[in-house]
Amino acid sequence: KQEVTQIPAALSVPEGENLVLNCSFTDSAIYNLQWFRQDPGKGLTSLLLIQSSQREQTSGRLNASLDKSSGRSTLYIAASQPGDSATYLCAVRPSKNRGSTLGRLYFGRGTQLTVWP
Amino acid sequence: DVKVTQSSRYLVKRTGEKVFLECVQDMDHENMFWYRQDPGLGLRLIYFSYDVKMKEKGDIPEGYSVSREKKERFSLILESASTNQTSMYLCASSSDRGGGNEQFFGPGTRLTVL
């Protein structure tokens, strides 16, 4: 069974810093990997989706990389702002040759980020 | 934009009541999912569906059932609510068409069972 781990569990930084959030997974046979953001008491917002054939994806100040062979992904946040404060979750979808997965994701526990002014 | 809506943001029910949580998506997605989220346990998959009237058990299906009579709607049913089902419930949808497979979430329903 796929296990997804996110380090650190919590992070508190001053505004303006560049950040790296880490995600690791135990089975490298993945179809894709998705990063989400969750504000307190809210649903998940999709940030970036990386297909297994891709190395990275970028959206604004966010950049996500994927090293499938080593079972790792990183989310890089440039020039952090207080509005970036949220929990960031990583999720992987197993590849289809691991059996019928029907699109289910395996989630990490998240990194709770606080950016203070 | 994909929109996933859930029938209630907050719900309070009593032990033993039958509870219906509704989820609707507007992008013709074939896959729909129900998760619950608890502090320290993360997101756990309850049930999912890949087509109308089709359903698959997730990791924690006990005490729950689901219904998918129409493609856009996926209902989670608590047959007899218990206090340990107090949680945040999240619905999601995705499609395997077009190669994207991105999963989109609703705003969540905070259920309290007294």
Side-chain angles (χ1 to χ4, degrees), chain B residues 7 13 27 40-41 46 77 80-81 86 92 98 102:
Chain B
S7 50
K13 295 292 181 181
M27 282 300 291
L41 296 176
I46 306 171
I77 303 155
S80 177
T86 291
E102 193 171 0

Side-chain angles (χ1 to χ4, degrees), chain A residues 1 31-32 34 36 38 41-44 46-47 49 51 89 93 96 101-109, chain B residues 9 31 33 35 37 40-43 45 48 50 56 59 88 90 96 99-103 105-107 110:
Chain A
K1 180 185 171 183
Y31 192 70
N32 61 37
Q34 198 168 349
F36 295 89
Q38 186 176 30
K42 302 289 180 64
L44 277 67
S46 179
L47 296 174
L49 173 72
Q51 302 294 348
L89 295 108
R93 175 178 170 173
K96 292 181 179 178
T101 61
L102 302 171
R104 70 160 297 172
L105 300 179
Y106 290 86
F107 282 85
R109 298 279 180 91
Chain B
R9 290 285 285 121
N31 304 321
F33 308 83
Y35 298 87
Q37 186 177 32
L41 296 176
L43 274 90
L45 181 65
F48 57 107
Y50 53 92
E56 291 282 340
D59 299 323
M88 172 70 117
L90 294 164
D96 288 337
N101 321 117
E102 193 171 0
Q103 196 160 124
F105 279 77
R110 172 74 65 184

Side-chain angles (χ1 to χ4, degrees), chain A residues 16 18-19 22-24 32 35 42 46 53 60 72 83 94 101 104-105 107:
Chain A
N18 300 323
L19 309 171
N22 296 295
C23 171
S24 61
N32 61 37
W35 281 94
K42 302 289 180 64
S46 179
S53 58
R72 293 180 184 177
T101 61
R104 70 160 297 172
L105 300 179
F107 282 85

Side-chain angles (χ1 to χ4, degrees), chain B residues 20-56:
Chain B
F20 292 87
L21 303 183
E22 305 284 340
C23 175
V24 177
Q25 50 90 9
D26 66 359
M27 282 300 291
D28 198 37
H29 284 174
E30 63 271 24
N31 304 321
M32 295 189 74
F33 308 83
W34 275 107
Y35 298 87
R36 64 178 282 178
Q37 186 177 32
D38 301 286
L41 296 176
L43 274 90
R44 293 180 291 169
L45 181 65
I46 306 171
Y47 267 98
F48 57 107
S49 168
Y50 53 92
D51 201 352
V52 175
K53 297 191 185 295
M54 306 304 287
K55 60 185 179 184
E56 291 282 340

Side-chain angles (χ1 to χ4, degrees), chain A residues 17-111:
Chain A
E17 282 208 1
N18 300 323
L19 309 171
V20 175
L21 308 182
N22 296 295
C23 171
S24 61
F25 45 95
T26 53
D27 188 342
S28 62
I30 65 168
Y31 192 70
N32 61 37
L33 182 145
Q34 198 168 349
W35 281 94
F36 295 89
R37 168 189 172 134
Q38 186 176 30
D39 294 290
K42 302 289 180 64
L44 277 67
T45 299
S46 179
L47 296 174
L48 291 163
L49 173 72
I50 311 178
Q51 302 294 348
S52 62
S53 58
Q54 298 175 320
R55 296 286 293 184
E56 64 178 337
Q57 282 285 343
T58 298
S59 176
R61 294 182 293 108
L62 304 179
N63 176 275
S65 67
L66 174 64
D67 184 344
K68 201 172 63 167
S69 61
S70 67
R72 293 180 184 177
S73 177
T74 59
L75 179 66
Y76 177 82
I77 303 176
S80 59
Q81 303 170 356
D84 295 330
S85 298
T87 297
Y88 291 81
L89 295 108
C90 163
V92 299
R93 175 178 170 173
S95 66
K96 292 181 179 178
N97 63 7
R98 281 291 189 268
S100 176
T101 61
L102 302 171
R104 70 160 297 172
L105 300 179
Y106 290 86
F107 282 85
R109 298 279 180 91
T111 293

